Amino acid sequence: QVQLVESGGGLVQPGGSLTLSCAASGFNLDLWGIGWFRQAPGKAREGVSCISRTDANAYYTDSVKGRFTISRDSTKSTVYLRMNSLNPEDTAVYFCARTWTGCPSGLSEGTAFGSWGQGTQVTVSS
């Protein structure tokens, strides 16, 4: 069955880096767009980044531009989110999800994204 599994979260100091992984199974990753989202305690879910199905372009929300990089490794059926210069505001549970038409138009609201993973916790703290 279709499954997305996130990993790579953890505790990191401000200014540090982490790379999250979103491992896909049950479908051809190359045919789908993939998005990363995050949800902090007491806050709404936020779209962070997505990589498009049609043109493989990458899109980012303003708060992470220049710090986060999304990439796809088809040989490993995995999408990565490299996060640099982390700050406490990046603390959240990070999720990945797939989309046919939602990248980038649906990124901010998470519309047209499905098959959500279980999430991985990222905590930025000294």
Side-chain angles (χ1 to χ4, degrees), residues 8-20 38-41 43 63-64 67-68 81-94 120-126:
L11 174 64
V12 62
Q13 291 186 342
S17 299
L18 279 176
T19 298
L20 306 183
R38 64 187 180 185
Q39 188 164 21
K43 294 187 177 181
S63 63
V64 308
R67 300 190 298 123
F68 290 13
L81 186 68
R82 174 65 176 179
M83 307 185 296
N84 296 326
S85 302
L86 286 162
N87 58 63
E89 289 69 39
D90 296 314
T91 295
V93 178
Y94 284 71
T120 186
Q121 175 71 47
V122 172
T123 303
V124 184
S125 174
S126 55

Side-chain angles (χ1 to χ4, degrees), residues 38-120:
R38 64 187 180 185
Q39 188 164 21
K43 294 187 177 181
R45 184 183 63 198
E46 176 187 25
V48 175
S49 177
C50 67
I51 188 163
S52 170
R53 170 182 73 89
T54 55
D55 57 11
N57 282 343
Y59 300 87
Y60 304 91
T61 192
D62 287 346
S63 63
V64 308
K65 284 180 180 177
R67 300 190 298 123
F68 290 13
T69 303
I70 190 172
S71 62
R72 184 201 308 259
D73 186 338
S74 299
T75 64
K76 297 182 178 180
S77 293
T78 301
V79 172
Y80 301 97
L81 186 68
R82 174 65 176 179
M83 307 185 296
N84 296 326
S85 302
L86 286 162
N87 58 63
E89 289 69 39
D90 296 314
T91 295
V93 178
Y94 284 71
F95 302 88
C96 62
R98 71 173 187 171
T99 182
W100 195 248
T101 61
C103 178
S105 59
L107 179 62
S108 62
E109 300 293 333
T111 54
F113 283 83
S115 303
W116 295 81
Q118 83 291 346
T120 186

